[in-house]
Amino acid sequence: DLPTFRFPTKSLELTKIRIQGATELCNAGEQPFVGKVDLREQNIVDIEELVELCTRMEEACSGFTRFGFCQILDATDNFSEKMIVGWGGFGKVYKGQLPGGLNVAIKRADEHAAMLEVNSELQLAKLQHANVIRLLGWCIHGKERILVYEFMQNGSLDRYLCDRTKGPMLNWSKRFKIITGLTEGIVYLHKHSMFWLVHRDLKPHNVLLDCNMLPKIADFGSARALSSELAEERTSRVVGTSGYKAPEYASRGVYSMKTDVFSFGVLVLVIISGRKNTILDKRGVGDLVRDAWRMWKDQKLHELVDPLLGDGYEVSEITKCAQVALLCAQEDPTDRPTMTDVAAMLNSESISLPMEPKQPAALIHGCAERDTTSTYVSQSSRTIDITITSSAPMSTRVRIILDPEV
């Protein structure tokens, strides 16, 4: 087992650690964070550059077109409040109808929205998948920045999961199709789009349902393209939603495809249970993940199932989905499967899965401790990376290099 270090709750000032059996000293300050700072977050373009980008994308992407501002005003009844259907990552979303009768969703960026968020959302123009929302066009007029999407008449998934009156509309068959549809959509983003795209904000609010209650992943304002499917990058600007953010991303800004895998795991548990994943301490996995692991271990998953489902579900499907979700929601990203693995497990006819999820650290150490240590540990070759966090707003990452015992 790896050694456990405990520190007072004041800000950490650790610089050196000595490990028994090692002859080297490790200077924490000399070791860089894993991944590199995402410099694209500093690249804020102006309106003219954004128009140029949209124009180039219009020429390159079939089905992506420019709308006139008068068309947008007519479609939304001059941005009438009665046409508002929700809020996206950077602005209000209106329902609109084009002259041909096509219903669309029109997202109007508010004046404080970062240009980067609009740029990220534009990546959708390059994507075409049944489980990813389609970006139809754009409009820039003065300071107005507007994007036009296909309209999803049943709104977002969260409207059903936490609503006692709408919840019964989602029987288990529909919930299972939502889980498998999301799996296929994320596999596409991670492997089969023109780049390795990590969404970074998967949650029920960003899953829209079409007329058949099938899911489409939406709101790509936080999405980032990676340099490879194994890439791990770092940002100082952590976005996303508490309860769905992976621990390494929430605490250190490190993100990869495994960041989406964690969020997907929590999302599946929410779909099964109808519960929220409340974060009770800084360890970061949430009470829903902990409860689900206990129920899975004790073979009491029926206690996890949303009461609104009654007895109308397949026990084998619930068991498989819950186990897959717990594998995805493990704290160490190296323990999590890829989304391709997830798809294979969900499509497998076998009832039992080859892997078992590890016990959440909070259940091992107790979640009442104010200080937590070793919240993320990954090991390869002869190095161990450890993140040490405390209840103070600071964390330190160290790398310990182990030499053979003399």
Side-chain angles (χ1 to χ4, degrees), residues 138-402:
W138 62 286
C139 173
I140 295 178
H141 178 80
K143 293 183 179 180
E144 295 279 2
R145 297 165 292 168
I146 297 165
L147 297 176
V148 181
Y149 305 80
E150 60 179 330
F151 182 72
M152 295 292 103
Q153 68 185 63
N154 282 315
S156 60
L157 177 60
D158 65 320
R159 290 175 54 190
Y160 296 86
L161 292 178
C162 299
D163 189 316
R164 298 294 92 183
T165 57
K166 291 181 179 292
M169 296 174 64
L170 282 183
N171 59 29
W172 173 245
S173 175
K174 290 176 181 175
R175 295 189 196 209
F176 186 66
K177 287 180 180 178
I178 290 171
I179 291 170
T180 55
L182 288 173
T183 302
E184 293 171 7
I186 302 170
V187 168
Y188 170 77
L189 297 178
H190 287 186
K191 299 258 316 180
H192 302 303
S193 60
M194 290 178 285
F195 30 69
W196 296 279
L197 195 64
V198 55
H199 187 281
R200 300 202 304 175
D201 196 16
L202 293 171
K203 58 182 179 179
H205 182 76
N206 290 338
V207 176
L208 302 182
L209 302 173
D210 68 10
C211 58
N212 297 312
M213 303 298 280
L214 297 177
K216 289 181 184 283
I217 300 167
D219 207 334
F220 282 70
S222 303
R224 293 291 178 273
L226 298 174
S227 57
S228 75
E229 62 181 315
L230 299 177
E232 188 178 71
E233 299 191 8
R234 177 179 172 256
T235 179
S236 59
R237 182 175 172 270
V238 175
V239 295
T241 304
S242 178
Y244 295 90
K245 287 185 287 191
E248 73 279 3
Y249 179 53
S251 64
R252 298 183 288 116
V254 174
Y255 64 93
S256 66
M257 291 183 181
K258 295 297 183 72
T259 306
D260 281 353
V261 174
F262 181 92
S263 302
F264 170 81
V266 176
L267 187 49
V268 171
L269 293 177
V270 171
I271 291 171
I272 292 172
S273 67
R275 287 177 48 184
K276 294 181 179 180
N277 186 44
T278 306
I279 299 296
L280 299 176
D281 59 42
K282 299 204 172 187
R283 199 176 293 276
V285 297
D287 64 338
L288 176 57
V289 177
R290 298 169 195 169
D291 291 349
W293 188 90
R294 287 193 193 98
M295 294 171 189
W296 170 80
K297 194 67 175 177
D298 295 339
Q299 298 184 343
K300 295 180 179 179
L301 279 175
H302 61 277
E303 296 179 6
L304 178 68
V305 178
D306 190 340
L308 293 178
L309 293 177
D311 297 325
Y313 58 87
E314 291 287 338
V315 175
S316 60
E317 286 182 345
I318 289 282
T319 302
K320 180 182 292 187
C321 288
Q323 186 170 343
V324 168
L326 288 169
L327 287 168
C328 291
Q330 294 178 105
E331 285 144 288
D332 188 337
T334 61
D335 289 332
R336 300 171 204 153
T338 66
M339 288 305 300
T340 304
D341 295 333
V342 168
M345 287 187 282
L346 290 177
N347 291 328
S348 171
E349 295 182 359
S350 173
I351 296 177
S352 60
L353 297 178
M355 296 180 288
E356 291 195 356
K358 293 183 178 179
Q359 183 176 1
L363 297 181
I364 300 172
H365 303 296
C367 56
E369 298 178 9
R370 286 183 56 81
D371 296 321
T372 60
T373 60
S374 298
T375 59
Y376 164 58
V377 179
S378 65
Q379 183 171 351
S380 62
S381 186
R382 292 164 57 224
T383 67
I384 300 174
D385 292 333
I386 299 178
T387 296
I388 305 169
T389 64
S390 81
S391 56
M394 279 192 67
S395 64
T396 298
R397 182 176 177 82
V398 299
R399 172 162 291 171
I400 302 168
I401 303 174
L402 299 178

Side-chain angles (χ1 to χ4, degrees), residues 2-158:
L2 291 172
T4 299
F5 301 94
R6 297 191 181 279
F7 299 90
T9 57
K10 64 181 181 180
S11 298
L12 296 178
E13 297 177 350
L14 177 68
T15 57
K16 295 185 179 182
I17 293 177
R18 187 186 297 274
I19 299 296
Q20 185 176 2
T23 57
E24 294 278 344
L25 283 176
C26 166
N27 290 328
E30 294 175 1
Q31 295 298 334
F33 282 88
V34 174
K36 60 179 183 294
V37 175
D38 189 351
L39 296 178
R40 288 167 294 182
E41 298 197 3
Q42 310 303 318
N43 183 26
I44 306 300
V45 298
D46 58 27
I47 288 290
E48 288 74 18
E49 289 175 304
L50 186 60
V51 170
E52 184 179 344
L53 174 62
C54 289
T55 303
R56 290 199 309 269
M57 294 187 70
E58 184 180 350
E59 295 170 352
C61 302
S62 175
F64 183 63
T65 187
R66 182 172 191 168
F67 289 89
F69 190 59
C70 289
Q71 287 179 285
I72 300 297
L73 290 177
D74 288 343
T76 61
D77 193 16
N78 290 327
F79 295 116
S80 169
E81 287 193 7
K82 68 181 181 182
M83 304 295 280
I84 295 175
V85 291
W87 285 262
F90 59 82
K92 294 178 181 177
V93 181
Y94 298 79
K95 180 181 178 180
Q97 189 174 75
L98 300 179
L102 177 67
N103 288 326
V104 293
I106 296 173
K107 186 181 290 188
R108 183 190 192 190
D110 62 49
E111 60 179 318
H112 303 296
M115 200 72 73
L116 175 72
E117 293 174 314
V118 183
N119 290 357
S120 297
E121 197 81 9
L122 282 170
Q123 296 177 93
L124 267 173
K126 305 172 186 176
L127 306 179
Q128 293 189 30
H129 189 273
N131 299 112
V132 176
I133 198 74
R134 187 77 190 275
L135 179 61
L136 302 176
W138 62 286
C139 173
I140 295 178
H141 178 80
K143 293 183 179 180
E144 295 279 2
R145 297 165 292 168
I146 297 165
L147 297 176
V148 181
Y149 305 80
E150 60 179 330
F151 182 72
M152 295 292 103
Q153 68 185 63
N154 282 315
S156 60
L157 177 60
D158 65 320

